[in-house]
Amino acid sequence: MEWTLEVIVVPVTDLDRAKAFYQDRCGFRADIDASFFEGVGRFLQLTPPGSRCSIVLESGMPDSPGQPRMAPGAMQGLQLCVTDIEEARAELAGRGVEVTPVLHVTDSGWAPGRGEEKWNAFLFFQDPDGNGWAIQEAPEPLERR
């Protein structure tokens, strides 16, 4: 049996503002924008370009059994991978996303530019609620890894 990670819930305060950010600024595709039952919230599902995993933004849905509701901005370390970190940075910055310069990890912390090792080039940004994202450069597309 396969266990595939397909959806991550990202807590936000304003669905329309978050949808505009992820769709218009980040380039995610809006897959679903619906209310499934009258009077029971709204559900948005968006997918990053080329991703097999989507994010869900929701408001007014009942809490999942046995799971506390996350506060907006509580998600940190969400990560996307791209094959060209400079192109990804230029695209996001061009769409108005406040994104860090390209950084890499050293033995003393973060340093400017990409590292010499594969997988050692990153960008960081936050959505309007403070949910934190990282973008990492991958050496080749997912289907070849």
Side-chain angles (χ1 to χ4, degrees):
M1 167 178 23
E2 290 184 14
W3 292 35
T4 59
L5 180 62
E6 297 191 18
V7 176
I8 296 171
V9 177
V10 177
V12 299
T13 55
D14 181 317
L15 289 179
D16 291 319
R17 178 182 72 173
K19 181 181 180 184
F21 176 80
Y22 285 108
Q23 184 175 3
D24 301 338
R25 294 204 176 162
C26 296
F28 289 22
R29 180 186 68 244
D31 302 315
I32 301 170
D33 185 346
S35 294
F36 290 108
F37 305 102
E38 191 168 329
V40 181
R42 183 170 157 211
F43 177 92
L44 295 169
Q45 182 171 321
L46 300 105
T47 304
S51 181
R52 296 178 184 167
C53 185
S54 302
I55 63 169
V56 164
L57 315 173
E58 54 88 6
S59 175
M61 300 289 283
D63 291 347
S64 299
Q67 298 181 4
R69 182 168 296 274
M70 287 184 289
M75 289 295 290
Q76 300 299 315
L78 295 161
Q79 187 162 317
L80 300 168
C81 287
V82 298
T83 54
D84 187 329
I85 198 91
E86 296 290 349
E87 182 180 335
R89 186 182 189 290
E91 183 175 330
L92 288 172
R95 291 172 173 249
V97 177
E98 290 185 32
V99 62
T100 67
V102 173
L103 302 168
H104 69 280
V105 179
T106 70
D107 57 1
S108 59
W110 293 102
R114 65 170 27 101
E116 293 181 25
E117 310 84 7
K118 290 182 180 182
W119 297 97
N120 196 5
F122 297 85
L123 302 171
F124 300 91
F125 70 93
Q126 293 183 331
D127 73 9
D129 286 292
N131 294 298
W133 290 83
I135 300 176
Q136 181 180 28
E137 186 173 73
E140 57 191 8
L142 180 60
E143 66 272 0
R144 294 201 319 241
R145 288 188 250 140

